[in-house]
Amino acid sequence: MSSDESFKKLAEELQQEIDKEEEATYSARVLEEYRNPVNVGRMENPDTSAIITGPCGDTMEIYLKIQGDMISEATFMTDGCGSSIACGSLTTRLATGRTIREAKEITNNDILDELGGLPDENIHCAKLAADTLHKALENRK
Ligand code: FES
């Protein structure tokens, strides 16, 4: 085997090891959302937005377009962990198509329920996403 091939094999084995660890730690829904997040990115000309840095030091940004009383588009950005990516993605999914009043009622427990739970040390990631959504709604002029 050439050194290129053995390096590739080692990288594949490492990746499989990481995948196995993630699957033991996170629900299938979390992994799906984290590996294929939707609505990622900063929105140009949002109607409202918010940026919050959580106690863990990670930052969540949420951007919303609002038509009448309804959230027509939601995007997020985060520099945080895989869970925060899953939570940001899911929160934008939950918010899109809801009225402002309904979106204000989305809680971190709703996010956790949809994700099939998170490890204890990542529960705050759901709170960070919910808080950022609520703050964006508050910031609306
Ligand atoms: Fe802080 Fe996930 S948002 S660890």
Side-chain angles (χ1 to χ4, degrees), residues 38-39 43 62-75 89-106 133 137:
V38 295
N39 306 320
M43 196 184 279
I62 290 193
Y63 300 85
L64 303 174
K65 275 255 186 259
I66 297 176
Q67 277 181 356
D69 190 27
M70 202 185 78
I71 297 172
S72 58
E73 219 184 308
T75 66
S89 177
L90 187 83
T91 302
T92 58
R93 276 187 207 273
L94 290 176
T96 306
R98 302 241 176 154
T99 63
I100 291 169
R101 196 185 163 151
E102 287 167 347
K104 280 183 181 163
E105 286 169 7
I106 296 172
L133 172 64
L137 292 166

Side-chain angles (χ1 to χ4, degrees), residues 26-43:
Y26 299 102
S27 73
R29 185 75 174 90
V30 171
L31 291 177
E32 182 193 312
E33 205 69 42
Y34 152 60
R35 290 174 180 160
N36 306 294
V38 295
N39 306 320
V40 183
R42 295 188 175 101
M43 196 184 279

Side-chain angles (χ1 to χ4, degrees), residues 56-58 78 80-84 121-122 124-125 128:
C56 61
D58 296 333
T78 183
C81 60
S83 300
S84 69
E121 64 272 24
N122 290 116
H124 73 272
C125 314
L128 181 60

